[in-house]
Structure formats: structure tokens, C-alpha cells
Amino acid sequence: MPAHDALQDMIASADQSHLLKLADRLKPERRAALMQDLEEADWDKIPAWIERYVRHKPDLPIPTDVDPAPYYPADCASAVRSYDETRFRAKGEQLIRNGRVAAFIVAGGQGSRLGFEGPKGCFPGGAVTGKPLFQFFADSLLRFRDRLGVSVPLYIMTSPLNHDATVAFFKEHKHFGLDPADVTCFQQGGVPSFEMRTGRMMLTPDGRLASNPDGHGGSLTALAKSGALEDMANRGVEHISYIQVDNPIARVLDPVFLGLHADAADSSAEMSSKMLPKAYPEEKLGMFVASDGRVSVIEYSDLPMERQRETTPDGKLKFLAGNIAMHVLGRAFVERVAQTAEEALPFHRAEKKIPCLDPETLEPVSPSENNGIKLERFVFDALPSAAQSIVYETVRRDEFAPIKNAEGVDSPASSAQIQTERAAAWLERAGVQIPRNDEGKSDCVIELSTRTALWASDLADADLPKKIKPGAKVAI
Ligand code: UTP
């Protein structure tokens, strides 16, 4: 069946007629599948994307006249800035209790660095139990349900590559005790991958249109397009608590953060961010900066190193606030930004090795050099669209144990180590004896369930052992 005229015209005006020629050379079922992909592609946007991001390396404006963004320190009595933590916590809890808050996990990434078969949220992240990452967040919500008597709706963004597996995983695990009616998985969009040399759209080794998930920034458009925003509106949700799937100790909800977002005098309740202090200037974290009264994130590669080394009179890094991708987003704000995504959320271009089908021989190719261009949107690009945006500090050991790589930094092993040290410090505070080696590190492995504690103070009324034996592996 030939492509209908309208489709042919759209493909031709995007300068991608090679796809139709390739389709004609494929076996009938493969051809039909490819034609389906072509029918569904965003032809109204593709020519502009090619022009802006593929033919040219996009020149994204980098603010040069930047100051560090002000922030609310983790310690509310800090000389940096003091605030009434009790009031903001009460406000956040009230919002949760009144059903004004949804939890949102972005889990559509390909997890290529980790190299795990299947959705990253299914990865066994528990230091002792090996429980999957998704369960950490479900347990946190169960803890909030126990404490505040409300079942907070959970939204999970998947991608076309891992959606079915994610849905099946939740079903298989009986939604980890959550009410299935309160768990919504929806898919993010895909963007075609382009040949680096020619700017042509590529085919996968099995002859489909090659595409990649459109980045965590695609979550804003996907929330709108999937109907998730509408569902939230029907439930009365106003604020969306955003975390990434690969940090098992990320607090899926944080009342103080929610309260600051919703009620601080310098917040427009549109988009707020958590930060952690950079450990050293070269640490590869984007930084929160302020420019023309707007908060944004500047990538570590975009701020000259001498500026990143600047210090304040008390010896702290001036550009201290590192971005760890934890936000609260106003529902109305997401709706607005999603409508203007082409401008508000520009694509970032990455050159990658993309397995594909050789357009001449129709043989699968596994490239050893970068051969293609992937486009992705980043969620933090939405920040300057917020009229006023606050940044709230969190403590690294308490909330940051990401699993990105198979080994080394940000790996399952480093995450398990941080999980243990966090649990050890909290348990010690609650009077539990912890075995420590000569370097002061815990001589044991501890996994503290997010159902048991999300803050050190949660252990005050927990049933705890008196001590932990050297070398023990303990789940509490
Ligand atoms: P990363 O930037 O670490 O990417 O995602 P990744 O895809 O998980 O891993 P690599 O780079 O291939 O190794 C940070 C968070 O954003 C989500 C991820 O699931 C993770 O929670 N994400 C990323 C999406 O939801 N969609 C995307 O398109 C990209």
C-alpha cells in the first residue's frame, strides 16, 4: 500500500523521502510497521526540529551575568536565612491531607549507563533486601497514608520502551500495597533520532523508525497530553512533587518543601527546587543561579571554573546550590509550560552511538563511533518560566544516593553505602549502638525502610534493636 499523498508530502517537505524508499525495500510486515510509525510521527514539528537542532548546533543562551540563587537552608535557624519551619511543615501537611498534592516519578529513562534489563524502577536498590526502587517510593507513600490518613495519588512517567513492563511490574507486586486507583502510569513522547552526517531520520536494526524518549523535560508535555493533568485537576490536586526514579532515598513528599513552595513570600508556587551543597567546585552538578530576578540552572560545563571556585567570606562555595532534580510544580504552571514547550523547553542535542539499519545494505549496524543525534528536553529549563521560584537545601547523606552507573560513583554499591551511613547516623541518634571501623565507617549493612522512617525524628517511636553486631546485614 503506497503512502497516502498527505503523508508523502509531509515526509518530502521534511526532506526525509529516503524513509519511503527504505520502506519499499522491507518485507511486508516490517514495511507495515514502519508505515505505522511514519503515520504517527510529529511531521508538523519535525522540519523545525531538524533546522534548529540537527542541521545547526543549537545556540542555547547561557546567562553570563549570574548570581547564586538565594536558598532556604536545611537548618531553619541558620544565619544564611532563618524561617518558620513549623509553619511551612504544617502548611505542607495540610496540603497533603486536603488532597492538594500528587507524587510524580519520572521513570522513562533508558538507564543505559546502569545496563539493567528492564525499567530502572524495577532495579533491586535495597542495600539488604534488594527491594526494587519503585517500592521505596510506594513505602514512603504508605508511611504518609499511615501518618496523615490520606492516599496520595502517584503518577509515574514511563516511555514507550518500558511502559508495559512497568505496568506489569506494579500489577505483579499488587501495587506494593497502594490502591491501584491511585497509581497512574503514562507514557512520555518520543523524538526521532537523526543521522549525524546527513540529518536523516534513522531506522532501528529491525526496521522501525528510530526514536528516543524526549527527556525528563518531556514530562511536562506528557502530563498534559496523557490526561494526567486533567485527572489531577478532577482530584483537586494543585501541586506535583517531582522526583527521579533512580534515587531510592529521595523523599517522594516533603511537607516543609511543599509548604515553602506554596506559601513562602518569594514563591509564586509555580516551580520550586531542592538543592544540595556542592562538595567541591568540580563536582558535576548544575547550579541554581539568579539572573534578571529569575532562577535557572546553569550546567557545570557552562560556568567558567574560576567562577565555580569563588568563595564567600566564610569560605563556602559561592555557587553552592547543586541541582538534584527534585521539584514541586504547580499543576497550572505545568499546563501553561506544556502549551509553550517548543520555546520554554528547548531540546538539548547529544551525539550518541545509535544501533541502526544501514540504509544501503539494510543490515543492522552497531556503531563504534557516535553516528547519531538524540534530542532531549530537560525539566529544569522550565524554571525561568516561573515568576518567582524558591530553592530549598537538603542534606546530601539524608536524601541523595543515586544509582546511575554499574560501578564506581553513583552505583548500586555507593548507594548501598550511603543508605547504610544514613541509617547508622539516624539509628545512633535514636540510641542504637552501631559497630564502626577505624575510619569511623559503619561495620555493617543497614537498610532502613522508607515505611519506617523518612526523617531521623521518625525513629523516635520505632521499635529498634539496642545494637547492631559487627558485619551484620540488617533491614529495619
Ligand atoms: P538520566 O538523565 O539519569 O537518564 O535520568 P537515564 O535515561 O535514566 O540513564 P542513562 O543516561 O541512559 O544512563 C534521570 C531521570 O530522568 C528520567 C529517568 O528515568 C531518571 O529518573 N528520564 C530521563 C525520563 O523519565 N525520561 C527521559 O527521557 C530521560
Side-chain angles (χ1 to χ4, degrees):
M1 184 184 68
H4 56 75
D5 291 351
L7 181 60
Q8 277 194 32
D9 288 350
M10 286 190 291
I11 293 175
S13 61
D15 212 6
Q16 302 293 329
S17 298
H18 70 288
L19 294 169
L20 293 173
K21 292 190 191 124
L22 281 171
D24 285 341
R25 293 167 59 202
L26 296 176
K27 297 216 168 85
E29 345 49 284
R30 283 198 165 190
R31 180 174 188 283
L34 176 57
M35 292 311 293
Q36 183 68 33
D37 292 345
L38 295 180
E39 284 283 350
E40 289 167 6
D42 280 317
W43 293 110
D44 55 331
K45 302 203 183 97
I46 287 171
W49 291 343
I50 294 175
E51 192 52 31
R52 186 168 168 195
Y53 302 106
V54 180
R55 296 231 167 91
H56 303 100
K57 288 196 179 171
D59 206 4
L60 296 175
I62 298 162
T64 43
D65 183 17
V66 291
D67 289 314
Y71 63 90
Y72 286 86
D75 172 7
C76 65
S78 159
V80 173
R81 186 178 196 179
S82 63
Y83 56 98
D84 186 350
E85 188 184 67
T86 310
R87 171 168 94 79
F88 289 115
R89 179 179 297 109
K91 174 69 188 178
E93 289 187 349
Q94 182 197 39
L95 290 169
I96 298 170
R97 255 196 219 100
N98 292 348
R100 298 285 176 255
V101 180
F104 179 34
I105 304 171
V106 288
Q110 291 174 290
S112 43
R113 284 169 288 171
L114 184 61
F116 174 65
E117 269 299 309
K120 223 193 212 181
C122 309
F123 183 80
V128 175
T129 62
K131 77 177 167 200
L133 293 172
F134 280 132
Q135 194 174 352
F136 280 80
F137 310 120
D139 279 348
S140 309
L141 291 175
L142 292 175
R143 181 165 174 86
F144 275 100
R145 191 173 75 186
D146 294 346
R147 274 196 51 231
L148 302 180
V150 59
S151 173
V152 171
L154 169 64
Y155 295 82
I156 298 170
M157 183 176 82
T158 61
S159 80
L161 305 173
N162 69 15
H163 181 79
D164 293 346
T166 304
V167 171
F169 193 72
F170 269 82
K171 214 165 164 193
E172 185 191 328
H173 289 87
K174 300 193 168 39
H175 295 77
F176 302 103
L178 299 172
D179 182 344
D182 288 333
V183 180
T184 306
C185 295
F186 64 92
Q187 297 187 47
Q188 69 180 112
V191 207
S193 314
F194 299 90
E195 234 175 45
M196 229 163 83
R197 211 170 39 83
T198 61
R200 288 175 166 188
M201 287 156 72
M202 302 166 84
L203 296 193
T204 62
D206 59 357
R208 304 294 297 264
L209 196 59
S211 70
N212 57 276
D214 60 356
H216 37 67
S219 60
L220 283 84
T221 43
L223 277 164
K225 210 167 160 187
S226 66
L229 277 188
E230 202 182 330
D231 186 56
M232 288 178 186
N234 292 337
R235 290 171 183 256
V237 166
E238 286 168 5
H239 308 288
I240 306 169
S241 177
Y242 170 110
I243 57 165
Q244 302 193 147
V245 75
D246 48 20
N247 178 9
I249 58 173
R251 289 173 177 134
V252 69
L253 303 172
D254 181 337
V256 176
F257 184 31
L258 283 161
L260 285 165
H261 162 84
D263 236 20
D266 55 346
S267 170
S268 58
E270 295 183 307
M271 183 167 180
S272 305
S273 314
K274 268 193 189 169
M275 71 86 158
L276 56 76
K278 278 179 71 166
Y280 48 93
E282 295 77 15
E283 188 175 20
K284 291 184 174 170
L285 284 179
M287 287 147 286
F288 290 102
V289 295
S291 164
D292 290 334
R294 302 257 166 172
V295 171
S296 63
V297 168
I298 188 161
E299 298 260 50
Y300 57 85
S301 47
D302 290 338
L303 188 65
M305 194 38 78
E306 63 271 16
R307 293 221 65 194
Q308 297 193 52
R309 293 204 181 103
E310 284 174 20
T311 51
T312 56
D314 60 358
K316 277 189 182 163
L317 287 179
K318 194 167 159 196
F319 290 93
L320 186 70
N323 175 27
I324 44 170
M326 294 182 196
H327 301 282
V328 180
L329 297 146
R331 179 180 50 75
F333 173 76
V334 175
E335 215 165 291
R336 195 180 84 220
V337 173
Q339 279 167 9
T340 54
E342 292 307 312
E343 286 318 308
L345 296 168
F347 280 114
H348 295 249
R349 159 196 166 120
E351 297 179 356
K352 300 266 184 185
K353 298 182 191 85
I354 302 178
C356 59
L357 200 67
D358 185 294
E360 306 305 325
T361 63
L362 294 189
E363 290 295 323
V365 181
S366 289
S368 52
E369 307 271 313
N370 289 342
N371 63 333
I373 294 169
K374 279 188 179 182
L375 302 180
E376 284 193 328
R377 301 189 200 275
F378 293 167
V379 71
F380 58 75
D381 279 332
L383 273 170
S385 297
Q388 281 183 298
S389 179
I390 57 116
V391 178
Y392 174 50
E393 178 187 357
T394 189
V395 175
R396 182 181 291 260
R397 192 211 49 212
D398 286 357
E399 213 182 349
F400 194 58
I403 298 178
K404 300 266 184 205
N405 305 309
E407 286 171 2
V409 180
D410 297 343
S411 65
S414 68
S415 178
Q417 181 75 40
I418 300 167
Q419 289 178 47
T420 294
E421 293 306 340
R422 166 183 178 264
W426 290 9
L427 288 166
E428 248 163 5
R429 234 186 79 158
V432 180
Q433 220 178 305
I434 303 291
R436 294 204 174 264
N437 63 21
D438 295 345
E439 291 167 21
K441 295 236 166 79
S442 316
D443 180 18
C444 54
V445 184
I446 320 172
E447 182 181 323
L448 191 55
S449 168
T450 46
R451 180 101 201 234
T452 310
L454 290 169
W455 280 266
S457 54
D458 293 343
L459 290 178
D461 51 7
D463 187 15
L464 300 174
K466 283 208 167 43
K467 62 180 194 176
I468 290 173
K469 291 197 185 121
K473 288 190 167 190
V474 189
I476 295 172

